[in-house]
Amino acid sequence: AALNGGLRSQVSAALKEGRVAPTELCQRCLALIKSTKFLNAYITIAEETALKQAEESEERYKRGSQPLGILDGIPIAVKDNFNTAGIETTCASNMLKGYISPYNATVVQKLLDQGAVLLGKTNLDEFAMGSGSTDGVFGPVRNPWSYSKQYKEKSVPKPHPEDEESSWVITGGSSGGSAAAVASFTCFAALGSDTGGSTRNPAAHCGVVGLKPTYGLISRHGLIPLVNSMDVPGILTRCVDDAAVLLGSLAGHDPKDSTTIQDDFKPFELPNLADVSKLSIGIPKEYHAPGLSSEILALWSKAADLFKNAGAKVVEVSLPHTPYSIVCYHVLCTAEVASNMARFDGLEYGHRSDMKDSTESLYAATRREGFNDVVRGRILSGNYFLLKQNYEKYFVKAQKVRRLIANDFVKVFRSGVDILLTPTTLRDAAPYTEFIQEDNRTRSAQDDILTQAANMAGLPAISVPTALSERGLPIGLQFIGRSFQEKQLLTVAKWFEKQVQFPLIQLEEVKRHDSDVFQHQKSASFS
Amino acid sequence: QKVSVEVLQHLEHLALVDFRDAEGVQRLQKAIQFADQLHEVNTDGVEPMDSVLEDRWCLYLREDDVTEGNCTKELLENAREKVEEYFVAPPGNIPLPKLEEQETFLQGS
């Protein structure tokens, strides 16, 4: 039961009162990770260090000395693109297999300083490029909802158990491992990253809360960069209150990341909003994007009505440059990626080819061997857009379009709108076999449409699990707020969460008909 | 228009990543086609945006004081080839094989 409670109100209280011990929590989570190995949510399990951290936490609680904070003793997971000292950090790429981080990312250090128990590193698309968590070298992540009673009830019964096997759905991405880990109760919260929607997308598909904070609020030091001007660490939890707790532990200026703002950040508790009549909710019409399922459209409309009926002002607004956000992202992202990936040459860390003919050929061979097609494709595209003859036409042009996109939001917020309400994804989670029919770039372009603009403008955004689809899978809706107004954003999200009462996942016992069925999956987690 | 073989080769040299096959080149062509949609947007008089924090913050400089370091051992740990405190690289200033010397698909496309 403790596995289900809110951090502040239930789990932390249980730990303080001695009703459950940190080592017990840790062991239960580790056992659950083992029994849900088929989800492939974790790349590395740091069993020994986790148990040690849990023991130290237990000592603190026993001695009656103040616990380090709400997170003291709480098992968490971290996406495998954050550096974790002494623990392998792979970015799900051959380029970094065997790379043991010599330091902790600032956000990881903050969690550890508050006594959190780091269970392990979660799976992702290679170098966080993708929207399915299907393109990493350790294989795809399976959405826990594939094994839920709710999904199984709605699927057509299959004649053979092998067919049953292949009907599993994706988690979305790129932080799919983190989302699956939280959704399957193997941890209480997880860190993801969000550059184009990589935290909110899998959150929506896995029925968990996914928060993208304002750019500049949380340190990126130690987060292996994709797009320096858009990346943020993301927070995945089972309820909005927990997201606020994590935010409180992580936000604030970091001298090691000069893109974090200098203002003091004060952690906050979320009030229980009773009266929404002073709120103005904006519904951006361009988010009725091509390909949006009628189901999600209806749910979005229902949510707008929910606010209206509760007395809030609900208005249609326009963000006219929304349709160009994906194209703009495509150019800026590939350009920054081309630059960021240049560090992987095999000399200082990571994979190194055996090629010895020359420095250049070593670099070329290392990168050829280390990066998958998606990564290499983006590097090449990025370099194209950065060529002297193309720089003004593509890169600078995209930067100008970026300003127009950001200005759209400024205008809308200036007109009196407090929060925007939009869908997070175009549809519910697709079956894996269907998802891989299209290539990564096409998929990302389609799936990022509703989430990307918030990264472009640096705004905070959160996906809240709203309802189950006709197929029995989670659908999330997104709230976008003003810069650095996370308290207002989360307060509204919490109110909404309370109204919709999203159901608990009913995970079925997975009958392993055949251990062969799981053999093709590379077992990459080790204790 | 298709990207010329010269530009493709130039890109491979700049990126030190290869297209690998015709599909790789196709991927680039599609990416450029996709990016061309940007030109539909009127950006007259619009300044390029480097950072969303441009109003809030100026990139600050701190005092030039040494605040960390002395971690040579840790930094060398992840390198596969090293000698004493040096990373080891094969000889430099040797250009990659020219187009004619490479067995390449580029000539076919």
Side-chain angles (χ1 to χ4, degrees), chain A residues 431-485:
Chain A
Y432 175 70
T433 47
E434 193 186 304
F435 185 80
I436 52 173
Q437 306 275 343
E438 287 277 12
D439 71 276
N440 183 295
R441 194 186 59 76
T442 311
R443 280 294 179 207
S444 299
Q446 294 164 348
D447 300 332
D448 287 346
I449 244 168
L450 302 169
T451 47
Q452 211 300 303
N455 298 84
M456 206 52 92
L459 299 171
I462 185 170
S463 179
V464 180
T466 305
L468 293 183
S469 69
E470 271 161 27
R471 288 163 67 222
L473 295 172
I475 299 177
L477 290 180
Q478 172 177 239
F479 295 93
I480 304 175
R482 298 166 193 247
S483 275
F484 302 105
Q485 301 303 312

Side-chain angles (χ1 to χ4, degrees), chain B residues 11-37:
Chain B
L11 285 176
E12 284 195 336
H13 280 208
L14 275 180
L16 286 175
V17 150
D18 64 328
F19 285 97
R20 197 159 295 193
D21 52 30
E23 195 188 322
V25 178
Q26 259 307 301
R27 207 177 283 131
L28 176 67
Q29 292 284 166
K30 284 203 202 127
I32 299 169
Q33 223 178 327
F34 190 63
D36 281 334
Q37 290 173 68

Side-chain angles (χ1 to χ4, degrees), chain A residues 132-152:
Chain A
S133 304
T134 51
D135 274 331
V137 292
F138 298 107
V141 185
R142 298 184 180 206
N143 191 328
W145 284 83
S146 315
Y147 304 98
S148 69
K149 188 152 173 257
Q150 290 104 325
Y151 177 61
K152 295 205 162 159

